Amino acid sequence: MTYYSKIIGTGSYLPEKVLTNRDLEAIMDTSDEWIFSRTGIRQRHIAADNENTSDLALVASRRAIEAAGITPQDIGLIVLATSTPDMVFPSVACFLQAKLGIKGSPAFDVQAVCSGFVYGLAIADQFMKSGQYEHILVVGAEIFSRILDWNDRGTCVLFGDGAGAVVLKKSTAPGILSSHLHADGNYANILSVPGSVSGGKVSGQPLLQMEGGTVFKFAVKVLGEVAEEALAANQLQKSDIDWLIPHQANMRIIQATARKLGLDMDKVVATVERHANTSAASVPLALDEAVRDGRIRAGQHVLLEGVGGGFTWGAVLVKW
């Protein structure tokens, strides 16, 4: 028997606090026009001081589980993508499991930065194909606001906090058609948080640094290539894509990717204006919005793709 993964529930969560570009004008040398013209971002959400990544993940997961019409106890595996864990260990997935009231089933984190949710979905799909799980919870959750240099206007304006989740169900009918993952560690220093903890002290600089121009060029190149790879693997044409949900890093990257695929922007789900770059949370946040507002419907082809520090990149093609 061949098993597939069907997405049967989506959920998301954005922290209550909203930080607009106008707010940033008051604390640094920048402007709404400068930020929006270069990134397409108007605002971002910022986690409260008492919120951890697992708290954001919990709300998104509960909403996805409710949408799926199951209970937390029906979840056989949790795969959680994040670069901003609650602490060094245990994993955010284990904290989430406890908060959901689940015991015994496996739970682990995936660290692929902004490609994390795509990686997590691909990993979960492979587990589902083994046939041993009926339902799998896949989550992307981040609190990037805590690893930003708020004096660096070139990076801090780009990111926000949030979480998104999906529930997968074992199916004999195709859902996830294929996944395609890549990485190239030679680009590790282009986008990184070069800090570590040793002997109770922080060494290095535990704040995000990025070579923006290099990231832009690389992202546009590989997002186009991996989309073509996914289509070729399934013998589909670009015109067969009903919805493209790319990582929400920068509107110019999203637009350039759409042009490479010959897609009109009305076939692209874009939330970057309101969410900014939420790293591993960006794709499931956008997916949940498009599912709940009715844009995504049964029978459509949905292409999810991401690129992030590592560099990592990948795509998952879904038949809804």
Side-chain angles (χ1 to χ4, degrees), residues 16-297:
E16 182 178 349
K17 180 181 177 180
V18 174
L19 185 67
T20 68
N21 293 348
R22 297 293 186 192
D23 295 328
L24 291 174
E25 288 179 357
I27 60 175
M28 65 181 65
D29 181 19
T30 192
S31 70
D32 176 61
E33 190 280 329
W34 187 90
I35 297 170
F36 184 74
S37 65
R38 288 161 175 78
T39 68
I41 297 168
R42 292 284 191 194
Q43 65 176 48
R44 70 285 296 146
H45 291 253
I46 304 295
D49 291 343
N50 63 348
E51 283 185 309
N52 289 318
T53 300
S54 61
D55 296 317
L56 277 58
L58 177 62
V59 182
S61 297
R62 283 176 172 163
R63 289 173 177 169
I65 290 168
E66 180 183 10
I70 63 172
T71 70
Q73 283 64 40
D74 294 318
I75 299 296
L77 168 67
I78 298 173
V79 182
L80 190 145
T82 190
S83 302
T84 53
D86 293 17
M87 58 183 68
V88 174
F89 70 82
S91 68
V92 178
C94 283
F95 284 123
L96 173 61
Q97 184 192 51
K99 290 176 180 180
L100 285 170
I102 305 171
K103 294 183 179 180
S105 60
F108 60 87
D109 286 359
V110 173
Q111 218 286 37
V113 200
C114 301
S115 304
F117 180 77
V118 170
Y119 262 63
L121 198 56
I123 292 166
D125 182 50
Q126 296 302 313
F127 272 102
M128 191 67 85
K129 287 176 178 176
S130 72
Q132 62 180 312
Y133 299 111
E134 193 68 28
H135 298 96
I136 300 176
L137 177 65
V138 185
V139 187
E142 302 281 15
I143 301 182
F144 252 56
S145 59
R146 294 178 188 164
I147 57 169
L148 300 176
D149 180 353
W150 287 96
N151 294 311
D152 179 5
R153 71 169 189 167
T155 58
C156 72
V157 303
L158 302 175
F159 296 90
D161 305 334
V166 301
V167 173
L168 302 180
K169 178 180 174 60
K170 183 170 68 175
S171 172
T172 54
I176 292 179
L177 300 178
S178 65
S179 57
H180 309 270
L181 303 181
H182 301 277
D184 189 340
N186 290 298
Y187 291 91
N189 294 328
I190 305 302
L191 174 57
S192 65
V193 177
S196 60
V197 177
S198 177
K201 296 180 180 179
V202 175
S203 61
Q205 178 74 340
L207 299 174
L208 183 143
Q209 64 176 28
M210 177 175 68
E211 294 180 20
T214 304
V215 171
F216 181 94
K217 293 174 185 176
F218 188 90
V220 172
K221 175 178 181 291
V222 299
L223 288 175
E225 289 174 351
V226 79
E228 298 264 17
E229 181 183 347
L231 290 171
N234 294 281
Q235 298 180 320
L236 295 173
Q237 304 301 312
K238 295 174 183 177
S239 58
D240 292 317
I241 299 175
D242 293 292
W243 292 105
L244 172 67
I245 305 183
H247 168 49
Q248 307 290 311
N250 180 308
M251 184 55 79
R252 291 193 300 163
I253 293 176
I254 294 171
Q255 291 169 337
T257 302
R259 283 196 299 272
K260 273 203 161 190
L261 295 175
L263 293 178
D264 292 333
M265 283 301 293
D266 60 6
K267 281 193 168 187
V268 180
V269 179
T271 60
V272 68
E273 180 176 351
R274 291 170 285 112
H275 299 171
N277 182 349
T278 54
S279 188
S282 79
V283 170
L285 275 166
L287 174 63
D288 182 52
E289 182 172 298
V291 168
R292 289 177 183 266
D293 67 20
R295 274 179 284 177
I296 294 177
R297 301 187 301 274

